[in-house]
Amino acid sequence: MMNSTSASPAAPISVSGDGTDARRNSKRPKYSRFTQQELPACKPILTPQWVISIFTLVGIIFVPIGVAALLASHDVVEIVDRYETDCIPGNDRIGYIQNPTTNKTCIRFLKVPKDMDKPVYVYYQLDNFYQNHRRYVKSRNDQQLRDKSKANETSGCDPEKTTANGVPIVPCGLIAWSLFNDTYNFTINNGKALTINKKDISWKSDRNHKFGSDVFPKNFQNGALIGGGKLDPKIPLSEQEDLIVWMRTAALPTFRKLYGRIEVDLKENDTITVVLENNYNTYSFGGKKKLVLSTTSWLGGKNDFLGIAYLSIGGVCFFLATLFTVVYLLKPRKLGDPSYLSWNNNRLMQ
Amino acid sequence: MSMHWDRFRASTVRLGGNGSASLRGTSFGDGGLRHTSSQTVRLGRVQPQHPSHRTIFCNDREANQPVRFKGNSVSTTKYNIFTFLPKGLFEQFRRVANLYFLMISILSTTPISPVHPITNVVPLSLVLLVSLVKEAFEDWKRLQNDMSINNTPVDVLQDQKWETVPWKKLQVGDIVKVKHDAFFPADLLFLASTNPDGVCYIETSNLDGETNLKIRKALERTWDYLLPEKASELKGEIQCEQPNNSLYTFTGNLIIDKQTIPLSPNQLLLRGCSLRNTEYIVGAIIFTGHETKVMMNSMNVPSKRSTLERKLDKLILALFGGLFFMCLVGAIGSGIFINRKYFYLGLSGHVEDQFNPSNRFVVTILTMFTLITLYSTIIPISLYVSIEMIKFIQCAQFINKDLHMYHAESNTPALARTSNLNEELGQVEYIFSDKTGTLTRNLMEFFKCSIGGEMYGTGITEIERGIAQRNGMKIDETTSATAVQEKGFNFDDPRLMRGAWRNEHDPEICKEFFRCLAVCHTVLPEGDASSDKITYQAASPDEAALVTAAKNFGFFFYRRTPTSIMVREANIEKMGSVQDVTYEILNVLEFNSTRKRQSVVCRYPNGRLVLYCKGADTVIYERLVDGNNDIKKLTREHLEQFGSSGLRTLCLAYRELTTEIYEKWNEKFIQAKSSLRDREKKLDEVAELIEKDLILIGCTAIEDKLQDGVPLCIETLSRAGIKLWVLTGDKMETAINIAYACNLINNAMKQFIVSSETDPIREAEDRGDPVEIARVIKDSVKQYLERYLEEAQQFLRSPYGTKLALVIDGKCLMYALDPALRVSLLKLSLNCSSVVCCRVSPLQKAQVTSLVKKGARKITLSIGDGANDVSMIQAAHVGVGISGLEGMQAVMASDFAIAQFRFLTDLLLVHGRWSYLRLCKVITYFFYKNLTFTLTQFWFTFQTGFSGQRYYDDWFQSLYNVIFTALPVIIVGLFDKDVSASISKRYPELYKAGIRNTFFTWKVVAIWAFFSIYQSLIIYYFTVAASPNGHNSSGKVFGLWDVSTMSFTCIVVTVNLRLLMACNSITRWHHVSVWGSILAWFLFIFIYSGIMTPRDRQENEYFVIYVLMSTFYFYLSLWLIPVVALLGDFLYQGVQRFMFPYDYEIVQEIHRDDPEESRRQLLEVGHHLSPDEARSYAIARLPRETSKHTGFAFDSPGFESFFASQAGVFAPHKPWDVIRRASIKSKHRTAKS
């Protein structure tokens, strides 16, 4: 019926007959709440009381959550050590880092500011590293990582698809190729070595489903340009947890990735000696490198953001509630006062 | 049998001035057929005529075979099974949004695109699918309609028998039999009829909206071919014109037994008409199927787009601007960013152009395209299809099924014929209304009278009731026992009825009054001479009402001969006596618009000679004899009183004549009557000689019965800020009168009258020089307009707020619409709260409409019922046809059809207003949700080195518009109600928001955009800032896809909740859809991230949601982010409502404690009060202001002889035409019985 503009005008129209017929022919629409638009509905009216109470309610809920989150975050002890500038001698940083023969060992001393309960997580943090660049993100092939038989599947892996002589690289693509390869070794106080547990640093789902247990690295880092870490061709990908962590690409150009866990408690004023291999080139693009040791609370690692957000929003809500109350008390508007209707206003003005 | 005589007048107006009418002489000379001149009316475009003619062999299928005439089956469908897909798709891609997405989809198959093609292909194909299904459904309904028409049975002659076959089987040349009340299956040559004289009666309301019956007459030569045996002998040959779309012309010859007989339109029965008052007819088929005149006329009504949608286009354009800006920023950024130093991007060696740092310009250009595909979601692809669905349901379920717009008497529900214009109904500022049939019922009723200075009649008009109600007066609800209910008579006063007038203080003058009514007229009685069976045939319904009144007063006029009138008078000698009196009618001095009166000279049986005269108060008072000033004064007061109540008045007077005076005068009269030159003028002059020294009897008041509830509706509409213009073909007096009756004009208003009935113009017209006439009228119109405009300015500046009204007649309007004067006309009329245009042609109606539409850029609505309103209906933004009683033509051209004028209140104030509010909400919300979504993506771009990396998974993006946020907005488009229907009507002023377009201005859009930016910032930066440490994740960290899934979850929740915040009323469907959408997202992500598909694609999303849900990060963020995002809107809404409330919000507050009303009870009581019940409320006389308006509006239409008009000959109105017509009818009646 809609838009039918040329319906035939010659349609025969049934002639309405007697009473019973007429009832049958009645075009009276049936009553239904839907067609008469009378569905039962709640009609909330945003009165100042409602505004004030909702603001107050949000405040009441948010402030405690904020406090709790902030406290939890403060419980977390975090040691952050930026080392990429100190661990490099001389000015030719890029030449130094790209030279495979130079000794890149660097020793850092960290002081434990507070007791750190186990497990202590070891992270590395990179800066100005665009793991979320479009060219980078897509440069991988999940089929190949998962399935041994699909080693030749290298679509999307440009430009790290194959070696110079055309053999497919496993794992292919820029992400794997640029694998982070600084290493850290820890000793505590008097030279007692701290073992780092590098198991279970990746999400289980990644290990079990995205990286095949029968897929082994092949032709990896054999090209002219070495992007980063090498992989032991004897260990299946599902156990190469550094790679798995690395390949869960970060959302932002500044990111942390889990390196391992120290599974002993650290005491206040303990000194940790870190012997690190500063292999990874962040100097080309001026990226920072940081080593992070952190405990966790019930909420997780150190992050004040959520706590502050909750707390300040709660505070703002309280403030707004108060402000509204004051305005409401000083200059109330009677609800449903017809004189506020625009047509009544006009009359007053005239 | 109610004959709408007034329609004849209307039809002449139509014929004279229809826009598509052309006057031309037809000379189809092959059979010596002569047409002096013929008027052609076409409803649609003029179609080129085939040069030659067609030859048809009657009753001989074999002979017709070689010519291959078209079959009789019709098809109005747009598609068939093969053309559906290509044609339907083509139609769809004519929409810019669809074409845009097609291009984006193509673009996204290239490597430039950051997104998989499905991102754009899925929504596009869903949108196309929905649209195509809708098209298919509509076409299917058309097909079914066609099939039912094509399969209507009809009798066709085969082997000397009538065989019943479906319409579609008919062929040119077949002989068919059409029975009483049936429709003609094709254009037929009328051969024979069961009526004597070979006539039949047809109703053409489907063609032209005229409900009066028309007579067709078969050729004498073919009268006998009635029975099958005889008809089968007919072997004739018809030569006639080729199919064309001219409804009122036809030329051809019937060659029968080597004898050539010319054919005329009188022998043509058109498809679409139906047979009335005739048992059956026999005809030969001339044109079939699509070649019939009515089908040739079926026009495609130009499809209208609503103003809101046109504004929407601008919004879309602005979005394109925004898109371009965003892409430009991103593209320039990418050109700057790209650098070989990011070794991990593998930019050394061979790099594709898009990332090649050596050519940053190319990088910029290509990234531009990348970002266009990435940000394509900013254009809401599903917006158009959602709007279409919403509007479709609004029409089909709400408007068509509204019980408040169902008219029980005519069994007609409202009908939305197009679904494009619902929200336009919420913004109408000007209504152009036809009068007859729309505002009035074209039913005249004797309502009140004043006799010898005494006022009689206890009825009260609608307008009086309105005044009384406004003054807080109670209306008595008593019905008198003496009340008589009869068509044309709605009068009650115990002082006059049943002979009670004998006891009045001056029964003699009462007697004169009644005799004047019974004698002075040109009415013909029809049927038995008993008071309940007789019907009166009158050239105007006023006259019939007056004669009916005389009958009810005991002066029953029952027979007319050319020289006498017979009246059965009761209660003359004594109460209860009845006697038949024959009055000899010596002369009839006719009514015309200059004389404004009508007189009859009659001789009583006892020889008394009296001249009875009735006419306008102005002309009668001039001719009254001196003295009797009391009666004159009182009567004048009564006239004014009647006039201001919207009644049509006539003064009655008489004059005793002596034989000498009469004889002397009669000589002159006969002389004048027989003169050959200037007969009319001479007759008028002679009449002047005798129509003087009259004695005033009194006056009558006739109610031009309004449709139910018209004054109330008009008042409501005017409170809603809608201005009503009445455009009518009637005379100025009638039009003003109706304006009074509808409360459009009252005495408190300043009236500006631009009339061509002034002496200078008349003089010019008498001189007859067309150029001079034009100059004179133009000058005077110009003067009028200038003067009035000046006055209007003064009135507007004055502090009293006097309302202004403009009355203009068609002749003046013609010149006022001239480009030179158009501006002042527009200026003046826009300052007036009501405008009445009288004597306007259909074309002028359309011109006035488009003057306001285009000149003032206001939204206009035209409402009418007849074919003469078609042009106006099509010219306005919204066309409304009155359905039910009248013909189809107006309805066929309209966008909405309602049964009663008063339903406009519901249509505009309820449906229109709601649709407008809903559509505004839907559009702005669509804009908001897509902008918010796209902006998060945009913020992300800044942190990806402007590479165009997508933030969201392809499927998220593609399903965002079509699943996760689609349904709630449709629900809002259907169910959102700010205030209930009854409150909408109680506070019509709420409608003004639509006229001012309060809810879809750039300001509103800007506010939404502002909060959209705010929310997108919150959602993006909060999720990102909270993510670096996976909370409770045993030290593990999140990747890109975890964060983006988190963002997306927040967006879905926020956007859906935001919709809930925008709702005025929340039904359970709101809950179902909003929570359902959020749930759908979770269901989707649970399944989607839970499975690994073997297809070659990245498994970014694998297990993401489970990983997320295992951390506190998810819950804390999900709780924080939507609340913070919505807090801004909430604060804004709270402040806005508190400080600057909208009107509807105040009304909501006023009625916040009202119980949930069901309109059902209201329906039963308030709505079915029949007008007659309502009328029976009696009330004492109301105090009134005296007025100058006395309400003379007697209509004696320029009645044309039926046969004369058939032949295309212009014939002025003569009373004997009525007699002739009536005699034909009575003959037909006797023949039947």
Side-chain angles (χ1 to χ4, degrees), chain B residues 808-909:
Chain B
I808 186 166
D809 76 1
K811 235 183 249 168
C812 294
L813 193 63
M814 192 162 81
Y815 294 95
L817 286 170
D818 195 80
L821 296 177
R822 197 181 281 173
V823 181
S824 19
L825 175 71
L826 190 64
K827 246 192 237 165
L828 178 63
S829 51
L830 291 186
N831 284 327
C832 295
S833 42
S834 30
V835 175
V836 178
C837 302
C838 34
R839 282 265 180 248
V840 288
S841 66
L843 180 65
Q844 283 180 324
K845 287 183 176 185
Q847 283 175 335
V848 172
T849 311
S850 40
L851 174 75
V852 176
K853 180 181 171 184
K854 302 219 175 79
R857 296 186 174 280
K858 305 285 189 190
I859 297 181
T860 54
L861 179 149
S862 291
I863 178 166
D865 67 313
N868 56 341
D869 305 315
V870 167
S871 56
M872 162 171 102
I873 284 171
Q874 286 178 346
H877 287 98
V878 187
V880 178
I882 299 284
S883 57
L885 297 167
E886 293 290 332
M888 297 276 284
Q889 205 60 54
V891 172
M892 292 304 294
S894 69
D895 305 305
F896 296 91
I898 51 178
Q900 292 273 301
F901 183 83
R902 68 165 189 273
F903 293 158
L904 268 187
T905 325
D906 281 278
L907 191 65
L908 297 181
L909 300 191

Side-chain angles (χ1 to χ4, degrees), chain A residues 145 198-213 237-241 244-245 248 261, chain B residues 1036 1102:
Chain A
L145 296 174
K198 291 192 65 102
K199 288 268 169 238
D200 193 29
I201 55 171
S202 59
W203 295 99
K204 194 160 167 270
S205 55
D206 284 3
R207 277 201 307 274
N208 293 355
H209 299 282
K210 286 194 178 174
F211 294 85
S213 56
L237 289 185
S238 63
E239 287 168 34
Q240 307 262 16
E241 292 210 38
I244 296 173
V245 168
R248 199 172 183 101
R261 273 190 310 274
Chain B
K1036 290 163 199 148
Y1102 181 68

Side-chain angles (χ1 to χ4, degrees), chain A residues 1-13 25-29 31 34-46 48 51 54-55 61-62 65 121 123 128-130 132-138 140 142-143 146 155 159 174 177-178 200-203 205 209-210 225 227 248-253 256 258 281 284-285 298-303 305-306 309-310 313 317 320 324 327-328 331 333 335-337 340-343, chain B residues 76 112-114 138 142 149 152 183 206 271 294 300 337 341-348 352 354-355 370 392 397-398 401-403 406 411 413 416-420 892 911 914 918 940 943-945 947-949 975 977 989 1020 1022 1024-1026 1029 1031-1037 1039-1040 1042 1064-1067 1069 1092 1095-1096 1098-1099 1102-1103 1107 1112 1116 1119-1120 1123-1124 1127 1130-1131 1134-1135 1137-1138 1143 1146 1148-1150 1152 1156 1159-1160:
Chain A
M1 289 300 264
M2 302 300 117
N3 293 333
S4 79
T5 46
S6 56
S8 167
I13 297 158
N25 289 342
S26 173
K27 293 179 199 148
R28 185 174 202 267
Y31 176 87
F34 171 69
T35 57
Q36 301 309 310
Q37 308 195 60
E38 289 170 2
L39 290 174
C42 98
K43 298 173 188 119
I45 292 179
L46 196 62
V51 176
I54 285 176
F55 274 129
I61 295 171
F62 270 37
I65 298 179
Y121 294 97
Y123 298 96
N128 206 16
F129 193 104
Y130 287 87
N132 59 9
H133 196 279
R134 180 152 80 91
R135 187 173 165 79
Y136 191 81
V137 174
K138 69 178 178 189
R140 64 190 283 167
D142 286 347
Q143 312 276 317
R146 191 167 59 216
S155 67
L174 285 170
W177 173 75
S178 61
D200 193 29
I201 55 171
S202 59
W203 295 99
S205 55
H209 299 282
K210 286 194 178 174
L225 265 172
R248 199 172 183 101
T249 50
L252 296 181
R256 268 177 199 186
L258 190 56
N281 178 12
S284 313
F285 52 90
W298 58 271
L299 199 56
K302 190 170 188 71
N303 189 348
F305 176 79
L306 274 177
Y310 265 104
I313 296 299
C317 284
L320 288 174
F324 237 84
V327 173
Y328 180 63
K331 208 185 141 203
R333 174 171 80 81
L335 269 197
D337 184 353
Y340 275 90
L341 292 169
S342 63
W343 53 94
Chain B
T76 55
I112 290 177
S113 162
E138 283 176 3
R142 277 192 284 267
I149 291 171
T152 316
F183 284 82
N206 272 346
R271 180 177 176 140
V294 63
N300 284 332
F337 174 86
K341 70 182 182 185
Y342 302 104
F343 71 90
Y344 52 88
L345 298 180
L347 296 175
S348 50
E352 63 261 40
Q354 190 168 12
F355 298 109
T370 304
F392 181 79
Q397 295 295 321
F398 297 159
K401 294 196 176 169
D402 190 346
L403 285 169
Y406 170 72
N411 189 20
R417 297 187 66 254
T418 160
S419 58
N420 289 338
M892 292 304 294
H911 290 283
W914 279 348
R918 289 166 182 172
F940 181 64
Q943 300 196 307
T944 60
S947 58
Q949 168 60 27
F975 295 123
K977 273 201 293 195
E989 292 88 350
Y1020 175 69
F1022 272 39
V1024 159
N1029 296 326
H1031 299 276
N1032 190 31
S1033 60
S1034 56
K1036 290 163 199 148
V1037 284
L1040 168 61
D1042 307 283
N1064 282 306
S1065 64
I1066 299 171
T1067 66
W1069 293 103
M1092 269 209 170
R1095 277 192 52 242
D1096 175 39
Q1098 295 197 349
E1099 297 289 353
Y1102 181 68
F1103 231 67
V1107 163
F1112 273 120
L1116 284 176
W1119 178 228
L1120 173 77
V1123 170
V1124 177
L1127 221 51
F1130 182 73
L1131 179 67
V1135 170
R1137 181 154 200 154
F1138 181 61
D1143 287 331
I1146 301 285
Q1148 280 176 347
E1149 287 166 11
I1150 295 174
R1152 68 185 179 285
E1156 178 74 23
R1159 293 193 294 164
R1160 204 169 189 181

Side-chain angles (χ1 to χ4, degrees), chain B residues 28 150 195 210 245 250-251 429 503 514 575 667 860 935 948 958 970 1023 1044 1121 1181 1196 1217:
Chain B
F28 189 81
N150 287 336
N195 286 340
E210 297 179 29
N245 65 344
F250 175 71
T251 46
E429 188 167 0
N503 302 326
F514 300 142
M575 278 300 280
E667 274 173 32
T860 54
L935 280 177
S958 62
I970 290 177
T1023 35
S1044 79
I1121 291 164
R1181 285 167 216 169
S1196 189
D1217 285 333

